[in-house]
Amino acid sequence: MGSYYINRTFFFDVHPPLGKMLIGLAGYLSGYDGTFLFQKPGDNYEHHSYMGMRGFCAFLGSMLIPLAYLTVLELSRSLSAALLTAALLTFDTGCLTLSQYILLDPILMFFIMAAMLSMVKYNSCANRPFSAPWWFWLSLTGVNLAGALGVKFVGLFIILQVGWNTLSDLWHLFGDLSLSMVTLGKHLTARILCLIVLPLALYIATYAVHFMVLNKSGPGDGFFSSAFQARLSGNNLHNASIPEHLAYGSVITVKNLRMAIGYLHSHRHFYPEGVGARQQQVTTYLHKDYNNLWIIKKHNSNSDPLDPSLPVEFVRHGDIIRLEHKETSRNLHSHYHEAPLTRKHYQVTGYGINGSGDSNDFWRIEVINRKFGNRIKVLRSRIRLIHLITGCVLGSSGKVLPKWGWEQMEVTCTPYLKETLSSIWNVEDHINPKLPNISLEVLQPSFPEIMLESHMVMIRGNNGLKPKDNEFTSKPWHWPINFQGLRFSGANDTDFRVYLLGNPVVWWLNLLSIALYVLSASVFAVAVQRGAHLPVEVEGLSQVLLRGGGQLLFGWMMHYFPFFLMGRVLYFHHYFPAMLFSSMLTGLLWDTLLRLCAWSLASYPLARCVHVLGILSLLLGTAYRGPRLGRRFLIRGHVKVRRRTKRSWREEEGILQPLGG
Amino acid sequence: MLGFLQQPVMVTTEVNLNMVALTAVGLLSRLWQLAYPRAVVFDEVYYGQHISFYMKRTFFLDGSGPPFGHMLLALGGYLGGFDGNFLWNRIGAEYSSNVPVWSLRLLPALSGALSVPMAYEIVWELGFSHCAATGAALLLLIENALITQSRLMLLESVLIFFNLLAVLSYLKFCNSQKHRPFSPRWWFWLVLTGVACSCAVGIKYVGVFTYLLVLGVAAVHAWHVIGDQTLSNVGGLGPPSPGWGDVPSILWQVRVLCHLLARAAALVVLPVLVYLLFFYIHLLLLCRSGPHDQIMSSAFQASLEGGLARVTQGQPLEVAFGSQVTLKNVFGQPVPCWLHSHQSTYPMIYENGRGSSHQQQVTCYPFKDVNNWWIVKDPGRHQLVVNNPPRPVRHGDVVQLVHGMTTRLLNTHDVAAPLSPHAQEVSCYIDYNISMPPQNLWRLDIVNRESDTDVWKTILSEVRFVHVNTSAILKLSGVPLPDWGFRQLEVVGEKLFRGYHGSTVWNVEEHRYGRSQEQKERELELHSPTQVDISRFMARFSELQWRMLTVRSDDSEHKYSSTPLDWVMLDTNIAYWLHPRTSAQIHLLGNVVIWASASLATLVYALLFIWYLLRRRRRVCDLPEDRWLRWVLAGALCAGGWAVNYLPFFLMETPLFLSHYLPSLPFQILLLPVVLEHISDHLCRSQLQRSLFTALVVAWFTSACHVSNMLRPLTYGDRSLSPSELKALRWKDSWDILIRKY
């Protein structure tokens, strides 16, 4: 993806641009020329210089460990807890694998952890409000939030967490009667400034840079609206001049107004038997293609309107027209057959030979919010095509056709006349030699419009990542138990493979710790609620457990549970941000519990002993399994060894696919 | 001992005439001309089908909700003597004389009517005045949409009834908690809360939102109970001793524990049991096989009378070498089907130029057919009959499968399958003498085995066939073959197997031992007993529940579907019924004045609540403590009830209708008098303001009554209106009122 930035061609991806921009920057600085294709995993880099980009990701990935260390240290004030956390992350093979390659995840995790750390830091500065460190950590939180959201939308979860923390903080301050309303106002403004305005500004700035850098037409054009494309150089709409009003005989492309649906398209393939009438398919297609061209004709005459002897006749609102597919000379046609996927709609086909069909080819063209008789403007008029005989409206259902339809999208004629975007179209390209061209400069959309549109397209793209039939998908409940890994790379003829899988000792310990945490935290909470008087030392530990641990547990839940609600394709690596939180929780919990044990044993040396021994054994446990597994997975990577541990870790064979998600 | 005789037996009753009057008008409004129109109105067409199934006791599967609601409707049909013979095919169809329309519609109407006095009780129990309580009940009474919905064979009004009942009984429970915990009254209301909650969930899944709300409020209250220090002093065990972990002091915690356990039992365990009970009755009632059998597993079908049960009755349990079986795919997607083969061979060259083995096709066929029979053969022996005694096939045994009609052996080899080229072709082996040896050995892998020596059982065992030579697994790919394969589904040998998947698992559905004579007596011994025990019920329950949740109807659009935003201000309606000749019609159309003011009241409540909350945080108490608590509880139950029943719809992707809003509407209406009384009591500073406000409220209520009266023809559908009258009623452009063209 970084290549696109270096080549400055426009592309489309479901994630916000910051992460790819950073990778692109790293690549640019390290002398990568953007020529490698990155087509599929397993390709050799050959002579391309990729170490800069990998190094950058690996650096951010290794920064996770000190960040986690500092966070836990701040929350628990205990060196051993922080050390334990750091050890867990250091020896986790999953984190190791994930941060070694050119991926967005290390960048995302870096920003999430940095945001968490700065939030914790500024919380502990709360007794010195408006001091320099306070301001520093507060604004750093804002910066990191912008970074996290700018890399992937998963960053939204950490924003919610910080937001919740800020709200409860403000609520706490608000209840403090010693503060005047003016001071409270200052507090509120400071937070709005640093946590809302600053991140938003940065986030928008990344987009500004994104659009500024990518000013050439590229593979992502078709996803965007006509107006959007006009600003990309190299696109046929850039600085284009086309006739303004639609006339009979014009060659046009028709684009659906709903985002990421594409152009009305047809090709020389029939609907398969059993799917409506066996006539030529009509679909929508996202890419520019000759098969998107249609000729607009009068319904009743077949004379060539381009004949120079005839006067130019404009198409007007309410006219009855016929749309002839330019390549195949078939007419856009509909009839009382059910559509291939949406059973309640009618099928749309291409029908007739050399432009002569029947009365089912007649459509009434209507412009939204216009009076009858007006001309139709290219690009700006929002039109509907109403089938004359059945009275239905041409629309796209947005569903992807099966293989016989080349996985393009279904076009139907819907009998429901409600105005929805999917049944509204606009004319994009327009070729008519008899008409004067006008320039399209007026179309340039403003920056907020571009922002909004690219977000809509990204959200639609994200929702569109549905698992295909029979494709193996990972379920969220698989993740914490380390049920099944994810194959990253590996050519079949060598022994070197990369398989993303967590260190089972670390992961199962994490899982156990969460259960244990919930148990111990509720015991403490009930004890406090019952009004039991705790000794000072236990009181302090319970505070660490409830406050610090609570924040970490909340972070884990925020980064894990929303995935259960998502309909899109999910992958194992989505769990890693949550895993960071649960590792920190583990460190904090075990340290606190061991301290409690040590406290209940009266004599000091013995207590000390128990504590140190416990921490050491945990450290050794993770370290013992960690490198061993790591070596197998990363360096030797033999298939059979893995089977021994768990059946579901079996190597998946077949074609590797880039995830893109 | 006979002390009670010394006192006269006294019965004192108090009758709240308000309640009686409200109940009476409630009944009047809901029951009036109940049997009119004598035609299928809107979704009755849908519920009616289910009622007919209950009457005929045939099994059906319905994804829209749990069975309790349908059973209640069917109860009405049962009491009215309905025999289930009516073709529910279209809206507007005239009912035949055997359909007891009145009694079918009675239960929803009764629950709609009883909601009115319940609204009164709820507001009263919340601690507000009788005036406010009466107001709430009257508003519920004249709300047109609720009247329409309760007068028809629909479930929303029953759901509303149980929702309100759950809230009411929880409030009663709360109030008796203050006086006498663990009294019979306390227990009664607590248990009733649990039962009402599970009834609500049992009618529609959305009832779960109210249940969660009640659980949430109960959890907060329980947390207060935990923190209640006075509870620890009960029983004279002394004040809590300092220090925790002190063993004797645990004793005084027992009472708190009792409180918590009682709540957990009544609000968590009991509802689950009642919910299971609904399914138990449902399965008990629907004991005959019906049109939806195919979707269920063989074991489930075998438990129904007729259908598969008739076929499988009396067949031997254990599959032995020599058994004749049909093999059904467990996954059953896209359609349930059986392993099948027939005389035709794979085409030599496919359309895309790849070659095949040209051997006999093996497919999966969705209909019963003589070609679905296979014989289990021991590779070491030649006979195709069962020995005496039969040698059962066990997990791990190697078998051959012989196709019954063609006596060819099931085979797979390293040839790409016709439509899934990554997998192996499965065929019945024909020896063309072209150095392509038979590879027909399969190892049996019983997936749901208990031990490694388990016997292969009919219907119960789910098995996989692992090919011995290539370790490919017999799998239904689900792709329909082209014409040469008669559009049957493709079966392949899957090499890249990843974990458990239903498409690789098969079970024996029909089974008989190979024909040989003197086996009869032993067969009788092997017959499987068919009794319904609790474990089987749980299996049937979980299967049925799972299918109900996963069955999808692909109706993506409907003329009257709407979005949640349209509901708050009533921007949409649903036409329910139109008289076949005149223009009398029924619409689901609410009382606009009530809807708008209830939404406004919710907003006012939210704003006031935030204002008070912030002021309290700064230690400025506008309300006395008890008033504040009352205000919060009213908000939590009413505004909360509205929110939990409304907001989740924003996340749902299925087509939504105005009727989905109805469960949340009563909660919003309950909030209305609460907010009005609060404004009059606390925000009107002088007597004059108060009188003015009262006058305003009266005027507003009068207008609501007027609107209700104007919309009455569309609610009851009893009067034919002229086109101009209908046009006059179309107050919003988005309302779709049917105007006949003459």
Side-chain angles (χ1 to χ4, degrees), chain A residues 9 38 61 67 113 132 176 241 249 295 340 384 516 563 580 642:
Chain A
T9 50
F38 287 103
L67 286 177
M113 287 302 287
D176 185 354
S241 48
I295 306 173
R384 296 213 293 177
L516 207 58
F563 286 106
L580 294 179
R642 264 169 238 156

Side-chain angles (χ1 to χ4, degrees), chain B residues 495-643:
Chain B
K495 283 183 294 189
L496 325 165
F497 182 64
R498 306 176 179 123
Y500 176 89
H501 193 268
S503 62
T504 59
V505 183
W506 305 79
N507 69 335
V508 170
E509 192 169 279
E510 291 169 80
H511 175 217
R512 56 184 178 233
Y513 283 158
R515 271 168 248 104
S516 55
Q517 274 69 52
E518 61 279 0
Q519 307 273 358
K520 301 282 185 207
E521 287 155 35
R522 186 162 293 277
E523 275 180 28
L524 280 171
E525 287 174 16
L526 284 170
H527 287 172
S528 54
T530 49
Q531 83 242 11
V532 178
D533 53 352
I534 186 69
S535 66
R536 268 202 51 211
F537 165 69
M538 285 312 287
R540 291 177 79 198
F541 161 74
S542 50
E543 178 179 350
L544 182 61
Q545 177 71 82
W546 179 245
R547 299 274 177 186
M548 280 167 113
L549 287 173
T550 49
V551 71
R552 282 273 162 267
S553 53
D554 53 13
D555 291 351
S556 57
E557 273 169 302
H558 190 278
K559 191 166 175 229
Y560 289 105
S561 66
S562 49
T563 60
L565 279 180
D566 297 336
W567 302 339
V568 187
M569 283 301 176
L570 191 64
D571 287 331
T572 175
N573 71 323
I574 305 177
Y576 270 12
W577 175 77
L578 177 66
H579 194 280
R581 287 171 303 280
T582 69
S583 64
Q585 49 192 307
I586 296 180
H587 283 261
L588 180 68
L589 194 54
N591 188 326
V592 176
V593 174
I594 297 181
W595 287 51
S597 37
S599 302
L600 194 67
T602 315
L603 190 68
V604 170
Y605 178 86
L607 291 178
L608 278 177
F609 178 76
I610 291 173
W611 175 247
Y612 287 145
L613 195 66
L614 289 178
R615 303 248 301 168
R616 280 175 69 84
R617 187 74 189 162
R618 297 298 288 182
R619 308 277 190 283
V620 187
C621 292
D622 303 283
L623 300 177
E625 190 62 25
D626 62 324
R627 287 295 173 101
W628 165 249
L629 286 179
R630 191 180 83 175
W631 173 246
V632 170
L633 185 64
L637 287 175
C638 300
W642 171 77

Side-chain angles (χ1 to χ4, degrees), chain A residues 208-314:
Chain A
V209 175
H210 174 73
F211 291 126
M212 228 136 65
V213 171
L214 302 180
N215 55 10
K216 292 184 195 158
S217 166
D221 290 9
F223 289 93
F224 291 87
S225 68
S226 316
F228 191 97
Q229 294 177 25
R231 39 172 301 284
L232 300 170
S233 73
N235 188 292
N236 53 353
L237 288 177
H238 183 68
N239 286 338
S241 48
I242 52 174
E244 189 182 8
H245 294 289
L246 208 59
Y248 286 106
S250 297
V251 177
I252 56 172
T253 58
V254 184
K255 187 168 168 60
N256 196 291
L257 239 65
R258 198 160 138 211
M259 280 156 193
I261 292 285
Y263 304 96
L264 190 67
H265 178 98
S266 182
H267 40 228
R268 275 188 201 284
H269 294 275
F270 289 127
Y271 284 106
E273 209 168 284
V275 182
R278 225 177 125 71
Q279 294 170 4
Q280 184 167 306
Q281 293 172 17
V282 173
T283 61
T284 55
Y285 186 49
L286 272 172
H287 299 278
K288 302 208 165 190
D289 186 284
Y290 281 115
N291 273 325
N292 298 344
L293 294 177
W294 299 82
I295 306 173
I296 190 161
K297 290 200 167 166
K298 282 192 160 182
H299 71 284
N300 45 9
S301 76
N302 214 5
S303 62
D304 183 10
L306 291 185
D307 190 346
S309 62
L310 292 168
V312 174
E313 201 173 338
F314 289 108

